[in-house]
Amino acid sequence: MEPCSSTMQLTRAADYGVRVMIHLATLPDHQRTRLPALARATGAPESFLSKVLQALCHAGFVISRRGQLGGFELLAPGRQASVRAVIEAIDGPIRLNLCLSTGLSCKRKNHCPVHPVWGRAQEAMLDVLKAASVAELALQAAAPRA
Amino acid sequence: MEPCSSTMQLTRAADYGVRVMIHLATLPDHQRTRLPALARATGAPESFLSKVLQALCHAGFVISRRGQLGGFELLAPGRQASVRAVIEAIDGPIRLNLCLSTGLSCKRKNHCPVHPVWGRAQEAMLDVLKAASVAELALQAAAPRA
């Protein structure tokens, strides 16, 4: 009924963001990579990936270096970031349902029996996404296939 | 970056669907309720709720009775349904990331270290949504406030 959004689905932007972070983390420290190479590595369209990288720079996970030896470089906080932190750097806070937004007070909250269910479902999901770090996933990506 | 969809968020349709199912389950067996009353009870716009109810009828959770004593009536499978089943009746299968769709084979799946993370996060969330039934939530809604 809402063709542009799938229920409870990660946005493409966040998916590409996680991919590009893991790819950068498989490279040696301080290595710089240009946008076209990152687009090839992640399968993301360049123009779209450029916006994703902008958000990751803004979060302090990646830095964009100018000049002939320029390119995108992963910073230490990016390497240590969790999958949750990468998603939220791109799309803002994960809220399984609007009623879980801080600041947005749902009038139904106090008598709505499903409110705590959304809260528990979100917590269970976030626990998994917090436990997985970019650095650890990059190690797995670099490891020889079983 | 995708203004019409929030990352990992339930659609409004599914949210209203869960609300209307719980409301119907608080009513006596076989009671019929007309659309305007359901819209008032759930806070959903009538035209939108009408589409949601259509999907719930299609799933066999609700039946629409015609005539002077007509209205929407909850069926036994609807009362026993889980929150997950209600969401999926409205929006189709919950897939935290596109790469988890059955039938859609992700080329990256075999070497992508984050694929199992999406799978575990989805499973953790679905476990919570499967464990909560419409009937049980309706009992809580009907119970006196603590």
Side-chain angles (χ1 to χ4, degrees):
Chain A
M1 275 188 271
E2 294 184 318
C4 64
S5 76
S6 293
T7 211
M8 296 179 158
Q9 194 163 94
L10 192 71
T11 61
R12 304 313 293 151
D15 188 32
Y16 290 143
V18 173
R19 287 190 199 181
V20 79
M21 289 290 287
I22 295 173
H23 175 72
L24 286 168
T26 60
L27 305 175
D29 261 357
H30 305 300
Q31 184 162 321
R32 297 168 188 180
T33 316
R34 292 191 178 278
L35 182 60
L38 292 177
R40 276 193 304 277
T42 56
E46 271 190 40
S47 58
F48 194 44
L49 190 60
S50 156
K51 287 182 199 161
V52 169
L53 284 160
Q54 230 171 4
L56 295 172
C57 288
H58 187 80
F61 291 165
V62 169
I63 194 164
S64 166
R65 307 275 190 195
R66 287 163 193 269
Q68 232 188 335
L69 296 171
F72 292 94
E73 181 184 326
L74 188 66
L75 298 174
R79 197 176 291 277
Q80 291 143 21
S82 68
V83 171
R84 175 190 180 168
V86 174
I87 297 169
E88 296 197 326
I90 291 162
D91 284 329
I94 296 170
R95 297 282 173 248
L96 223 56
N97 199 350
L98 255 184
C99 62
L100 299 173
S101 302
T102 48
L104 197 143
S105 171
C106 176
K107 280 179 291 183
R108 308 171 58 84
K109 188 155 59 184
N110 293 328
H111 65 276
C112 173
V114 77
H115 189 90
V117 177
W118 303 133
R120 287 200 305 274
Q122 174 173 294
E123 218 37 48
M125 180 183 76
L126 290 181
D127 281 348
V128 177
L129 301 179
K130 272 188 287 192
S133 76
V134 169
E136 175 208 322
L137 294 172
L139 274 179
Q140 291 173 29
R145 317 277 165 261
Chain B
M1 276 187 270
E2 295 184 317
C4 64
S5 77
S6 293
T7 211
M8 295 176 159
Q9 194 164 93
L10 193 71
T11 60
R12 305 311 294 151
D15 187 31
Y16 290 142
V18 172
R19 287 189 199 182
V20 80
M21 289 289 288
I22 295 172
H23 175 72
L24 286 169
T26 60
L27 305 175
D29 262 357
H30 307 296
Q31 183 162 325
R32 298 169 188 179
T33 317
R34 293 192 179 276
L35 182 61
L38 292 177
R40 276 193 304 277
T42 56
E46 270 189 43
S47 58
F48 194 43
L49 190 60
S50 156
K51 287 181 201 162
V52 169
L53 283 160
Q54 229 171 4
L56 295 172
C57 288
H58 187 79
F61 291 164
V62 169
I63 193 164
S64 166
R65 307 275 188 194
R66 289 163 190 267
Q68 230 187 334
L69 295 172
F72 293 93
E73 181 185 327
L74 188 65
L75 298 175
R79 196 175 292 275
Q80 290 143 21
S82 67
V83 172
R84 175 190 180 169
V86 175
I87 297 170
E88 296 197 327
I90 291 161
D91 284 329
I94 296 170
R95 297 284 172 245
L96 223 54
N97 199 348
L98 255 184
C99 63
L100 299 174
S101 301
T102 46
L104 196 143
S105 171
C106 176
K107 280 180 291 184
R108 310 170 56 86
K109 188 155 59 182
N110 292 328
H111 65 276
C112 173
V114 77
H115 189 91
V117 177
W118 303 133
R120 288 199 303 274
Q122 175 173 294
E123 217 37 49
M125 179 183 78
L126 289 182
D127 280 349
V128 176
L129 301 179
K130 273 188 289 191
S133 76
V134 169
E136 174 207 322
L137 294 172
L139 273 179
Q140 291 173 30
R145 317 276 165 259

